[in-house]
Amino acid sequence: MAHTDHQSMRRVLRREIAGTIGLLTDEHDFRAMRRYRSFTFDDHPTYLKQVEDLLRTRAAQGSHTTVALFDPQEYAEFCAETGLNPDVPSSRTRFTAELAGTGPTLPYEGQPLTQLVPALVDEAVRQATWEYATTLLARLGSCGSCGEDIGRAAFTRASDLLVRILDTAQPGEHHLVCSVTGTPEALVSVLHSDENSDGAVQLDEAEALEFTTVLALGIATQSPGGLVMRTCTPGTTDRVYGWRLRGDGLEPLTAGEVFDAYCTDIESGDLISPESDVDYCVPPDLGPEGGGRTPHHSH
């Protein structure tokens, strides 16, 4: 009887343990891990099926599982830095535990891997974009004339502009894309927002942070770039409009410029048929604080 009670308690305790699985999302990374003898999977599709079965089993048992993006190169570097043998399962477990706190992760909520994998890759790209843009902003240092931290001032300006954009938008679901092309690496950031029944804007905080940082980088470096917004409201046509980066602000695009941007193939330059039920239009006025300003000195 006591033995049965102990087993029951252990089952209860297992449900209290949060787990993290490091996932090899593509064939290339999977092949890189096969060089380790202790990694015993033969092919990527079978590996993914086994992972999905494990996730479903844990969910059925009431256990919470976080899925992390497992990068073989980062794993090798981790083992080299910590002196761990990369060809033992315990080292992979240690690395996965590190990913749970620092790397791109998503909670498993019953979704199939065909949905979870792209979302996890998107999360990794978003985190990498934010880290890269943050690093570039920090390197700008302080203004030689006034001593102001250039990156911090640009982030504050970008935050104010984002608030103005959302405040002046019509009610609905908003999809924003910010692109900055003049930095060493072209950066693109996407932000989704919606409004609840009270009219309050709902944002993903991580998305908003990355979006604002990329916009701030464009402002701080005076780089070519732009911002496009699409608003979807049930029962009406979608509205699409945008701005180009100009100075430390935004300059409205004409309806024709927005149309050309949406109806031109990026790679070939060929025209694309416009979408039906879409209104390409001029953006609302952001007020005196929205436009590009000419500072009294150059950062």
Side-chain angles (χ1 to χ4, degrees):
M1 182 67 178
H3 178 68
T4 302
D5 289 341
H6 285 309
Q7 285 183 325
S8 299
M9 284 188 288
R10 280 197 293 270
R11 282 195 296 270
V12 171
L13 285 173
R14 277 198 292 271
R15 292 198 294 269
E16 300 291 328
I17 299 174
T20 303
I21 293 178
L23 182 63
L24 297 160
T25 58
D26 61 50
E27 185 74 34
H28 179 268
D29 287 347
F30 180 83
R31 288 198 303 270
M33 289 302 295
R34 290 204 64 206
R35 69 176 181 266
Y36 301 119
R37 294 180 61 186
S38 61
F39 187 79
T40 57
F41 291 96
D42 294 325
D43 66 273
H44 194 233
T46 300
Y47 161 81
L48 290 177
K49 184 180 184 306
Q50 293 296 322
V51 170
E52 188 161 24
D53 288 346
L54 176 60
L55 290 171
R56 288 173 176 168
T57 298
R58 286 180 54 83
Q61 294 171 346
S63 299
H64 174 78
T65 309
T66 298
V67 182
L69 187 68
F70 195 104
D71 186 298
Q73 182 176 346
E74 292 181 2
Y75 171 64
E77 293 171 355
F78 172 81
C79 290
E81 292 171 358
T82 56
L84 295 174
N85 177 3
D87 202 1
V88 293
S90 60
S91 297
R92 292 194 287 276
T93 303
R94 283 274 301 275
F95 178 65
T96 301
E98 291 284 329
L99 290 178
T102 62
T105 61
L106 286 177
Y108 176 70
E109 299 173 331
Q111 68 272 49
L113 282 191
T114 52
Q115 294 179 10
L116 190 149
V117 168
L120 184 59
V121 172
D122 286 346
E123 178 68 21
V125 171
R126 186 173 67 185
Q127 181 170 320
T129 299
W130 172 75
E131 291 174 351
Y132 180 69
T134 300
T135 299
L136 293 183
L137 278 176
R139 288 177 181 173
L140 296 176
S142 301
C143 173
S145 300
C146 68
E148 184 177 35
D149 186 289
I150 298 172
R152 185 177 297 113
F155 188 88
T156 299
R157 176 64 173 151
S159 300
D160 292 342
L161 287 172
L162 180 57
V163 170
R164 290 293 300 153
I165 289 170
L166 294 175
D167 282 349
T168 57
Q170 290 186 348
E173 180 181 341
H174 309 301
H175 178 85
L176 297 92
V177 179
C178 179
S179 59
V180 176
T181 59
T183 56
E185 295 286 341
L187 298 178
V188 177
S189 180
V190 177
L191 175 63
H192 301 87
S193 76
D194 203 351
E195 297 178 5
N196 60 23
S197 57
D198 299 326
V201 175
Q202 296 177 307
L203 296 171
D204 180 279
E205 292 185 4
E207 271 193 4
L209 178 59
E210 181 219 338
F211 188 92
T212 307
T213 304
V214 171
L215 179 57
L217 182 62
I219 291 171
T221 58
Q222 304 285 293
S223 297
L227 192 155
V228 176
M229 180 170 183
R230 181 170 186 152
T231 299
C232 304
T233 305
T236 65
T237 59
D238 289 0
R239 290 172 52 84
V240 179
Y241 51 79
W243 301 262
R244 65 171 55 87
L245 288 175
R246 182 61 57 89
D248 67 345
L250 298 171
E251 180 181 88
L253 296 174
T254 66
E257 288 173 324
V258 176
F259 179 88
D260 289 342
Y262 261 77
C263 301
T264 302
D265 185 272
I266 297 176
E267 295 182 358
S268 67
D270 296 335
L271 293 178
I272 303 173
S273 298
E275 296 182 60
S276 59
D277 298 324
V278 174
D279 183 12
Y280 303 95
C281 52
V282 176
D285 185 8
L286 298 181
E289 292 300 309
R293 301 173 299 188
T294 302
H296 63 276
H297 66 272
S298 174
H299 282 151

